[in-house]
Amino acid sequence: YVKLSNNVDQDSAIAKLTTKYTAIINGIGRIRGFGIAKLREVVQKSGRTTGITTGRVIATNGTFKVWYSDTKAYILRKCVVTNNMCQGGDSGSLLLNKSLMAVGLLFAGSDTITLYNSIGSIVKRYGLRTI
């Protein structure tokens, strides 16, 4: 039995930091704010497993069925999609455009594509702001 939700637009989590931090992405630079992914634009991310990778946005409003176990799957909407830029362990990486604006948050991938939550839905859900 698989229960699917038709209203899921992100797979994300948030943590409260208790020490000082900087908005610098390792090997890329300081985040300059939030933006909107644009079709065919060149993007980059720095992940735990793959380090810095670059790619291209191939869709900005994708809908995908993502399996989280043998019996649990969700339909995720409003996904930003790039060519393959990740491996296991890269989830949570910010997707940045060339202007260093965050445009997505990595949550899944395959041998051919990588899926990101639109940063707009993340900002809205958690009430984020740049500092």
Side-chain angles (χ1 to χ4, degrees), residues 10 30 43 47-48 57 68 79 98 100 109 114 119 124-125 129:
Q10 63 182 266
R30 182 175 299 280
V43 288
R48 185 198 77 181
V57 175
Y68 289 88
C79 298
K98 288 283 189 170
L100 298 183
T114 301
I119 202 67
K124 182 178 178 181
R125 178 170 185 175
R129 59 187 172 79

Side-chain angles (χ1 to χ4, degrees), residues 25-128:
I25 301 295
N26 189 26
I28 294 177
R30 182 175 299 280
I31 302 168
R32 295 193 177 141
F34 305 118
I36 298 171
K38 296 183 179 122
L39 194 60
R40 292 185 284 282
E41 81 177 320
V42 174
V43 288
Q44 59 189 332
K45 67 106 186 94
S46 179
R48 185 198 77 181
T49 304
T50 58
I52 299 169
T53 57
T54 59
R56 194 169 293 274
V57 175
I58 58 177
T60 59
N61 194 18
T63 300
F64 293 86
K65 183 177 184 179
V66 179
W67 288 88
Y68 289 88
S69 71
D70 290 341
T71 59
K72 188 175 181 181
Y74 293 97
I75 295 174
L76 285 108
R77 302 182 189 288
K78 302 178 185 174
C79 298
V80 174
V81 186
T82 67
N83 56 293
N84 182 19
M85 294 175 62
C86 74
Q87 292 180 8
D90 284 339
S91 292
S93 299
L94 277 176
L95 182 66
L96 303 166
N97 64 20
K98 288 283 189 170
S99 299
L100 298 183
M101 302 291 282
V103 298
L105 182 70
L106 196 157
F107 73 91
S110 71
D111 291 340
T112 57
I113 62 171
T114 301
L115 302 179
Y116 301 83
N117 300 297
S118 165
I119 202 67
S121 67
I122 301 296
V123 169
K124 182 178 178 181
R125 178 170 185 175
Y126 298 113
L128 301 179

